[in-house]
Amino acid sequence: MDEYEKLLLQNKGWAKDRLDLDPNYFNRLADIQMPNFLWIGCSDSRVPANEITDTQPGEIFVHRNVANLVVSTDLNMLSVLKYAVEVLKVKHIIVSGHYGCGGVKASLTNNHYGMLNKWLRHIKDVYRLHAKELDAILDQEKRVDRLVELNIIEGVYNLAKTSIVQKAWANGNAPSLHGSVYSLKNGIMNHLITVDSNSYLDPIYRFDFKGGLED
Ligand code: CO
């Protein structure tokens, strides 16, 4: 039996276990999803959103990419964001990174990764913004981990810079934006920052919506 067949079997076992515990489990979930959270996390297989937050299917709307980036021209992320904010009306958006992130580590080298260079470039830009602080950290692992944190914080501000979030705020709606960092060593997710409609945002990034509310 190959790995994929094993996965399908495990799925059947899981579905049976759920039904044994609660015969209505899938009936309830099939109706509607009304999650309170949008999770923007790293694709790393060791950081599954539901598992580390002890939440159930239906509780977190999830978008993951390499190094949990929030890139203003990423149609995939923007589509998820728009649906989460305007249709699901999530109350919280969490940019969740993790220490020891391979994408962040790679961005601090001069290695050529082909197409991945274009993605990692965004992390190099975060490094350049905070080069003074980062260059003062001599230990390479600690420097990577601080860049992990700064990349999360910049990601949170990148969300605040979108017209999708600003429009929701202008209408008096959620979401609050949070940044958190997860440790693979102890399983703990630590809070880094919260940004909401009252937080300071450099005025150059503030839209006035007098010209209309389109994206
Ligand atoms: Co990662």
Side-chain angles (χ1 to χ4, degrees):
M1 181 165 54
D2 71 10
E3 294 88 352
Y4 176 61
E5 285 168 359
K6 186 164 170 267
L7 210 81
L8 292 176
L9 268 183
Q10 284 174 205
N11 162 258
K12 288 189 179 66
W14 172 83
K16 187 181 174 302
D17 288 348
R18 297 283 87 68
L19 285 177
D20 287 349
L21 287 169
D22 174 5
N24 274 320
Y25 187 83
F26 293 107
N27 293 340
R28 275 190 290 107
L29 279 177
D31 279 348
I32 196 167
Q33 63 158 350
M34 287 302 284
N36 285 325
F37 301 95
L38 165 61
W39 175 279
I40 299 177
C42 183
S43 299
D44 192 302
S45 63
R46 298 165 296 179
V47 198
N50 282 125
E51 208 148 336
I52 67 171
T53 56
D54 199 19
T55 48
Q56 295 297 315
E59 290 192 64
I60 306 187
F61 198 59
V62 174
H63 174 78
R64 289 167 75 176
N65 62 44
V66 170
N68 45 269
L69 297 189
V70 178
V71 177
S72 68
T73 53
D74 176 3
L75 274 182
N76 186 351
M77 183 280 295
L78 290 171
S79 303
V80 170
L81 179 66
K82 188 173 170 67
Y83 189 76
V85 171
E86 295 181 8
V87 180
L88 300 175
K89 299 192 190 304
V90 296
K91 297 191 178 81
H92 305 274
I93 302 178
I94 306 166
V95 178
S96 181
H98 65 101
Y99 292 126
C101 181
V104 174
K105 237 184 242 174
S107 76
L108 268 184
T109 73
N110 295 102
N111 297 345
H112 168 54
Y113 293 103
M115 203 280 294
L116 257 177
N117 293 341
K118 297 171 188 18
W119 191 248
L120 301 180
R121 232 291 301 281
H122 299 287
I123 315 176
K124 289 180 188 279
D125 291 343
V126 175
Y127 165 77
R128 187 167 53 84
L129 267 176
H130 301 276
K132 211 171 151 196
E133 177 188 346
L134 290 162
D135 287 346
I137 304 171
L138 299 179
D139 182 89
Q140 179 66 8
E141 199 182 317
K142 289 200 176 97
R143 190 189 296 151
V144 168
D145 284 348
R146 181 57 183 150
L147 183 54
V148 163
E149 295 177 351
L150 292 168
N151 182 50
I152 293 164
I153 292 166
E154 291 295 333
V156 169
Y157 279 108
N158 286 345
L159 284 174
K161 293 170 193 171
T162 63
S163 56
I164 297 168
V165 167
Q166 288 189 26
K167 220 165 51 178
W169 286 350
N171 290 327
N173 297 331
S176 300
L177 315 174
H178 312 281
S180 71
V181 62
Y182 176 79
S183 168
L184 297 165
K185 290 179 182 158
N186 63 15
I188 299 296
M189 198 175 130
N190 276 320
H191 172 76
L192 290 175
I193 189 173
T194 289
V195 170
D196 59 28
S197 56
N198 299 315
S199 302
Y200 177 77
L201 182 66
D202 192 310
I204 195 69
Y205 296 111
R206 287 257 182 216
F207 298 111
D208 74 53
F209 291 106
K210 290 188 194 97
L213 286 169
E214 296 87 22
D215 291 322

